[in-house]
Amino acid sequence: MASIALANLKGGCGKSTLALNIAAGLAQRGKVALIDVDPQGALAHWADWAATDISNLRVLSGLGKLHDAKTSFDHVVVDCPPSVDWNLTGKVLEAVEMVLLPVIPSPLDLWATSDAASAIDKARRSNPALKAWLVQNQAEERSALSGAMARVLGQQQLPLLNTAVGRRAAYRLALLEGKSVYQMGARGRIAVSEIESILKEVLVK
Amino acid sequence: MSKMEEKLKASIKPRQPARTKPQPKRSSPGKVVVNDADLNAPDIPLHPRRIWPD
């Protein structure tokens, strides 16, 4: 059983896209509830609109579903809101085993990590076993800024996953096709290897 | 360390200190309670010296 939240105080860092694909990765291993707690409801909307049917994966909406899902599914993935007050996200972090904080290679995202670290400290008062990692998202291999960001992120208080998720069309195309990257065939091959690499890191740590 | 890395590191804002619990408000001074005995006490005139010192 893994319960993973995707959270960040800052919007636009790719939480929902990563949440979907991590949930799809876990769905290769068992029954998964992907819970959309973000009031914007992007994933819930996506599931309705695309009438998606990914084997072993069910998209639910609202914080209230979290408690029951933990007992009736093998794995739970929660997409948190980009909340400054951290109220809703705080409640999620009290109930999950681990949290991933996606960071895109931009100074704005780097600056938001300090507040995120404080928020994780706060969450650990009620959930001391909470594991937390920063994960580079939309990284660009040949970009000097991406490289510098990775090195600086590696020196922050929160640990950084070794896996960096690249900026790839496959992630966005999959959404448009009502799929995860796991259903994209050869087009999603590299993206799948990135998600699998994340899962290997967090499920053994 | 590259200049870009140095600049990124220098740009990080310091972590906000953990919020401490709000201190309870200090109670405002209570109303002055006047004892009945005080109200019934005889008026004692001020000694003239207090008003017109020598």
Side-chain angles (χ1 to χ4, degrees):
Chain A
M1 162 76 190
S3 51
I4 307 175
L6 275 290
N8 204 325
L9 297 169
K10 188 185 160 296
C13 59
K15 283 188 303 292
S16 303
T17 307
L18 264 187
L20 163 64
N21 289 295
I22 284 173
L26 288 170
Q28 311 286 313
R29 296 157 168 84
K31 274 171 60 185
V32 180
L34 171 57
I35 306 179
D36 188 358
V37 172
D38 188 344
Q40 292 173 56
L43 280 179
H45 168 74
W46 170 80
D48 281 346
W49 167 78
T52 185
D53 186 20
I54 297 173
S55 176
N56 270 348
L57 176 65
R58 187 145 171 233
V59 181
L60 305 170
S61 185
L63 180 64
K65 302 280 171 34
L66 178 55
H67 184 71
D68 288 344
K70 281 173 75 179
T71 53
S72 34
F73 289 83
D74 298 318
H75 307 289
V76 177
V77 178
V78 187
D79 182 27
C80 295
S83 165
V84 173
D85 62 16
W86 203 256
N87 275 341
L88 202 50
T89 304
K91 290 192 177 88
V92 173
L93 297 188
E94 286 171 10
V96 295
E97 188 188 347
M98 54 188 99
V99 56
L100 295 177
L101 300 117
V103 183
I104 61 172
S106 150
L108 292 174
D109 272 50
L110 176 64
W111 300 335
T113 58
S114 329
D115 292 339
S118 304
I120 298 293
D121 284 348
K122 194 176 165 189
R124 280 179 175 150
R125 287 180 209 159
S126 44
N127 182 5
L130 177 68
K131 298 172 193 167
W133 295 278
L134 300 171
V135 53
Q136 298 172 74
N137 195 20
Q138 299 178 25
E140 294 157 294
E141 281 176 30
R142 292 174 192 166
S143 151
L145 180 59
S146 270
M149 277 284 293
R151 286 188 291 276
V152 174
L153 284 171
Q155 296 160 18
Q156 300 306 298
Q157 187 208 352
L158 291 171
L160 176 69
L161 286 184
N162 294 325
T163 308
V165 176
R167 184 175 169 80
R168 304 187 192 290
Y171 290 106
R172 298 185 290 276
L173 266 175
L175 285 169
L176 191 62
E177 295 179 12
K179 300 171 180 171
S180 77
V181 290
Y182 284 81
Q183 284 78 46
M184 295 280 283
R187 293 178 300 161
R189 188 176 47 82
I190 299 174
V192 166
S193 70
E194 288 173 345
I195 300 297
E196 283 295 312
S197 178
I198 287 179
L199 288 175
K200 273 182 197 156
E201 281 197 70
V202 301
L203 295 180
V204 296
K205 279 180 180 172
Chain B
M1 188 187 291
S2 69
K3 278 191 176 175
M4 193 181 285
E5 217 174 310
E6 272 177 29
K7 203 165 182 179
L8 278 171
K9 272 186 92 169
S11 73
I12 298 171
K13 61 179 178 180
R15 285 187 61 188
Q16 289 178 344
R19 283 184 194 168
T20 51
K21 280 188 179 175
Q23 297 296 316
K25 283 183 184 174
R26 285 185 182 175
S27 56
S28 54
K31 287 182 182 174
V32 175
V33 179
V34 181
N35 291 331
D36 287 349
D38 293 335
L39 290 172
N40 295 324
D43 285 336
I44 302 170
L46 288 170
H47 193 280
R49 277 188 189 167
R50 291 199 185 163
I51 304 166
W52 308 108
D54 291 335

